[in-house]
């Protein structure tokens, strides 16, 4: 059973259903928490600058600056302009993937079978939100603003021969990651609908999203 978390200082607390898209704005200095309500759920996430949407989270800059391929508590996230965009303020999961990318109809076909092409995917979620969500319209966002994403709670180890492996998730019910925004951000999430690999235990489940003001507020 899903158990929601409550926060006294929360300015927003919403649930994103299994397999769906979600979008919000987070102001500089606010904290944004993603809660894995039932465990083993992958959460594909994009961070885009609200001031200049051409600036967004960059996997290459983040990995280069941190000299580590996984994201964890204390990791600084950088933009494609080389600027600090956010910091992982708190986390009780352990590590998060920034290499595996977002599933798509095309990647499902290549990895699994031609029959999987019509299945729902994270890229479809991103495209739908960018086409329909009021925040996307406000900032004139479109598919060009889809870049490399973070896969929170997803377990993608790198093998000794340099290949990526999609393994069972390492998250448990109630695990969370909390990000402090270092600039005004647009957050776009696909609560991954993947049914072909174990990143969601073959059973996508809902997540809770919470925004709270900084400690000084």
């Amino acid at each position: 059973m899903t158990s929601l978390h409550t926060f006294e200082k929360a300015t927003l607390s919403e649930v994103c259903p299994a397999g769906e898209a979600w979008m919000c704005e987070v102001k500089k200095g606010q904290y944004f928490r993603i809660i894995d309500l039932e465990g083993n759920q992958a959460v594909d996430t994009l961070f885009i600058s609200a001031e200049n949407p051409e600036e967004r989270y960059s996997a290459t800059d983040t990995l280069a600056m941190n000299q580590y391929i996984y994201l964890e508590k204390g990791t600084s996230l950088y933009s494609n302009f080389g600027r600090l965009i956010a910091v992982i303020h708190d986390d009780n999961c352990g590590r998060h993937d920034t290499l595996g990318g977002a599933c798509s109809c095309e990647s499902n076909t290549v990895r699994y079978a031609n029959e999987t092409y019509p299945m729902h995917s994270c890229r479809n979620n991103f495209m739908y939100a960018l086409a329909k969500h009021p925040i996307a319209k406000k900032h004139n966002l479109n598919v060009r603003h889809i870049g490399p994403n973070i896969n929170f709670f997803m377990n993608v180890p790198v093998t000794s021969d340099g290949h990526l492996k999609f393994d069972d998730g390492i998250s448990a019910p109630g695990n969370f990651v909390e990000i402090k925004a270092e600039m005004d951000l647009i957050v776009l999430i696909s609560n991954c609908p993947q049914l072909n690999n174990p990143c969601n235990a073959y059973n996508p489940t809902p997540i809770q999203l919470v925004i709270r003001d900084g400690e000084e507020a």
Side-chain angles (χ1 to χ4, degrees):
M1 178 180 293
T2 299
S3 178
L4 300 184
H5 299 247
T6 57
F7 299 86
E8 290 183 1
K9 293 186 177 181
T11 60
L12 177 147
S13 180
E14 296 181 356
V15 170
C16 178
E20 296 300 317
W22 186 87
M23 201 170 190
C24 73
E25 292 177 292
V26 182
K27 299 299 183 182
K28 180 179 179 179
Q30 287 186 319
Y31 294 84
F32 173 62
R33 181 174 292 214
I34 306 171
I35 304 169
D36 189 358
L37 292 172
E38 299 185 28
N40 212 21
Q41 173 63 24
V43 183
D44 292 41
T45 305
L46 296 171
F47 293 118
I48 301 168
S49 167
E51 180 181 358
N52 176 16
E54 299 306 311
E55 183 172 16
R56 66 201 77 168
Y57 164 78
S58 166
T60 52
D61 287 88
T62 297
L63 297 184
M65 293 296 289
N66 288 281
Q67 294 292 294
Y68 191 53
I69 63 171
Y70 299 114
L71 309 181
E72 57 188 17
K73 183 176 179 178
T75 298
S76 296
L77 308 180
Y78 290 88
S79 76
N80 56 326
F81 290 6
R83 297 201 302 156
L84 181 65
I85 193 169
V87 174
I88 298 182
H89 169 73
D90 201 1
D91 170 69
N92 66 357
C93 177
R95 71 182 194 195
H96 306 272
D97 169 62
T98 193
L99 297 175
C103 60
S104 66
C105 297
E106 293 77 12
S107 66
N108 283 342
T109 301
V110 171
R111 289 174 180 163
Y112 309 113
N114 288 335
E115 292 75 17
T116 65
Y117 184 85
M119 296 180 71
H120 199 37
S121 71
C122 286
R123 185 167 176 83
N124 283 350
N125 275 343
F126 289 154
M127 291 191 294
Y128 182 83
L130 290 170
K132 299 293 186 179
H133 200 284
I135 291 175
K137 295 181 183 298
K138 172 184 173 182
H139 293 278
N140 296 314
L141 303 179
N142 55 51
V143 294
R144 294 189 303 105
H145 295 97
I146 300 176
N149 61 280
I150 297 170
N151 293 311
F152 286 114
F153 308 117
M154 192 166 167
N155 184 23
V156 186
V158 178
T159 64
S160 58
D161 57 359
H163 290 87
L164 299 182
K165 183 179 179 184
F166 293 89
D167 272 0
D168 288 335
I170 57 176
S171 179
N175 275 178
F176 67 86
V177 59
E178 185 171 75
I179 298 98
K180 181 183 179 183
E182 297 293 342
M183 62 176 67
D184 290 350
L185 294 176
I186 303 160
V187 180
L188 174 54
I189 279 175
S190 170
N191 190 23
C192 186
Q194 184 59 255
L195 296 172
N196 300 290
N197 71 53
C199 70
N200 298 338
Y202 304 102
N203 177 40
T205 54
I207 55 173
Q208 184 178 357
L209 296 313
V210 178
I211 298 173
R212 65 180 180 87
D213 288 330
E215 301 298 338
E216 68 280 4

